[in-house]
């Protein structure tokens, strides 16, 4: 999907998210487990002030297990209730209902003391484009759930999905934009495919991926492409990949653009293994 990154669009999305946040007790924020900080927008902390917060490390199937555990601990320490999930396969989704109860324990207790029983927790899903919000809502809420219309005191037109007697989910997610003007953030989001390929040229992107893999995951490229790869000149490695995969232009000249596209697709699809692009130490 292509997203337009012009400021008017972002301001409108932020305003809508702010309005919707007023209607809920809980914000379920999705981040991409391969780059959990770059795939957040810090505005959400302001918007979500005073709300219970769940953070889901989505696409955890594509991220390094060791770092999934480290990121989970990192966000827990910051006060989030955290779960690793794969919205596509449904892995980890079951654990969310008990997590909601835990995250909203205070609210539930407060209601009980005031004699309010059976008031469901209202939640909204939020995250940057492409992080997996729609996939998650489908998988979490399923098709069998009833969608409820307007209610007194609720902005006209809002649709709620009733998951069970204790939980209602706003059926449209809140979209926030990443801080892609930060070069490092932009590069990481381009690597995982969150932002369009026009932002970085495909060869530059391939070079960034090769450089990172050589440093952090030595041996992976050699294994995938049957080449002898050593840290050093990334373009030499790209050429080796082109030759090994027979990406040639006329006259057996390695076609680096085609090889780059293939590498980028392999990387994004997890074919080079599970990889995490940023580590909690950077933020400690
Ligand atoms: P959005 O609403 O936040 O914009 O994201 P959306 O659900 O459209 O998901 C974006 C892409 O990420 C989709 O791939 C979706 O299948 C994929 N995805 C979502 N969650 C996960 C996950 O946990 N693991 C993996 N591996 N992929 C996930 P797509 O290529 O756009 O569509 P499709 O061909 O997969 O249907």
């Amino acid at each position: 999907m292509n997203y337009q990154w012009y400021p008017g669009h972002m301001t409108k999305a932020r305003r809508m998210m702010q309005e919707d946040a007023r209607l809920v007790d809980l914000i379920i924020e999705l981040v991409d487990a391969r780059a959990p900080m770059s795939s957040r927008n810090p505005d959400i902390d302001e918007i979500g002030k005073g709300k219970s917060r769940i953070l889901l490390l989505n696409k955890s199937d594509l991220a390094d297990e060791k770092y999934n555990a480290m990121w989970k601990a990192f966000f827990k320490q910051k006060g989030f209730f955290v779960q690793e999930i794969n919205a596509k396969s449904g892995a980890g989704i079951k654990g969310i209902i008990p997590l909601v109860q835990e995250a909203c324990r205070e609210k539930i207790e407060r209601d009980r003391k005031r004699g309010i029983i059976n008031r469901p927790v209202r939640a909204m899903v939020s995250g940057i484009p492409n992080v997996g919000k729609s996939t998650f809502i489908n998988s979490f809420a399923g098709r069998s759930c009833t969608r409820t219309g307007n209610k007194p005191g609720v902005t006209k037109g809002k649709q709620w999905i009733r998951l069970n007697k204790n939980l209602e989910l706003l059926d449209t997610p809140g979209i926030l934009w990443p801080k892609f003007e930060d070069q490092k953030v932009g590069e990481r989001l381009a690597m995982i495919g969150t932002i369009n390929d026009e932002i970085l040229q495909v060869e530059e992107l391939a070079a960034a991926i090769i450089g990172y893999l050589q440093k952090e995951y030595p041996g992976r490229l050699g294994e995938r492409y049957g080449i002898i790869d050593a840290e050093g000149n990334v373009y030499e490695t790209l050429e080796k990949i082109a030759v090994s995969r027979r990406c040639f232009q006329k006259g057996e000249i390695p076609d680096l653009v085609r090889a780059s596209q293939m590498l980028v697709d392999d990387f994004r699809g997890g074919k080079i293994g599970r990889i995490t692009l940023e580590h909690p130490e950077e933020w400690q």
Side-chain angles (χ1 to χ4, degrees), residues 3 58-59 61-62 86-88 128-135:
Y3 293 96
N58 191 35
K59 308 200 185 182
D61 54 309
L62 300 172
N86 172 349
K88 211 168 161 176
I128 65 166
N130 223 6
V131 76
K133 297 177 295 302
S134 329
T135 312

Side-chain angles (χ1 to χ4, degrees), residues 2 21 48 51 89 114 118 128 131 138 141 162 171 199 283:
N2 277 333
K51 311 277 172 193
S89 75
R114 288 183 189 151
N118 293 339
I128 65 166
V131 76
N138 279 336
R162 198 179 170 88
D171 95 334
I199 291 190
W283 283 270

Side-chain angles (χ1 to χ4, degrees), residues 113-164:
K113 278 192 183 139
R114 288 183 189 151
I116 308 168
I117 40 168
N118 293 339
R119 183 160 75 91
V121 167
R122 291 214 181 112
M124 76 181 290
V125 172
S126 83
I128 65 166
N130 223 6
V131 76
K133 297 177 295 302
S134 329
T135 312
F136 168 71
I137 291 175
N138 279 336
S139 151
F140 186 44
R143 273 169 227 288
S144 58
C145 292
T146 45
R147 282 172 156 76
T148 58
N150 305 331
K151 290 185 175 179
V154 172
T155 313
K156 204 164 173 254
K158 295 287 172 212
Q159 288 272 310
W160 295 86
I161 311 170
R162 198 179 170 88
L163 274 97
N164 58 38

Side-chain angles (χ1 to χ4, degrees), residues 234-273:
V234 292
Y235 284 95
E236 227 167 73
T237 301
L238 187 55
E239 206 170 306
K240 283 185 197 166
I241 293 172
V243 172
S244 156
R245 285 298 154 107
R246 307 205 53 75
C247 298
F248 290 127
Q249 296 171 314
K250 252 191 229 141
E252 301 265 297
I253 298 167
D255 185 338
L256 299 189
V257 173
R258 203 144 63 81
S260 297
Q261 195 57 61
M262 181 197 63
L263 173 80
V264 168
D265 290 345
D266 283 357
F267 178 80
R268 290 175 178 170
K271 299 208 173 87
I272 311 179

Side-chain angles (χ1 to χ4, degrees), residues 57-77:
L57 291 164
N58 191 35
K59 308 200 185 182
S60 61
D61 54 309
L62 300 172
D64 190 327
E65 284 152 299
K66 176 178 122 197
Y67 288 107
N68 283 347
M70 285 168 77
W71 279 114
K72 198 170 165 184
F74 174 89
F75 285 112
K76 265 189 175 172
Q77 208 224 336

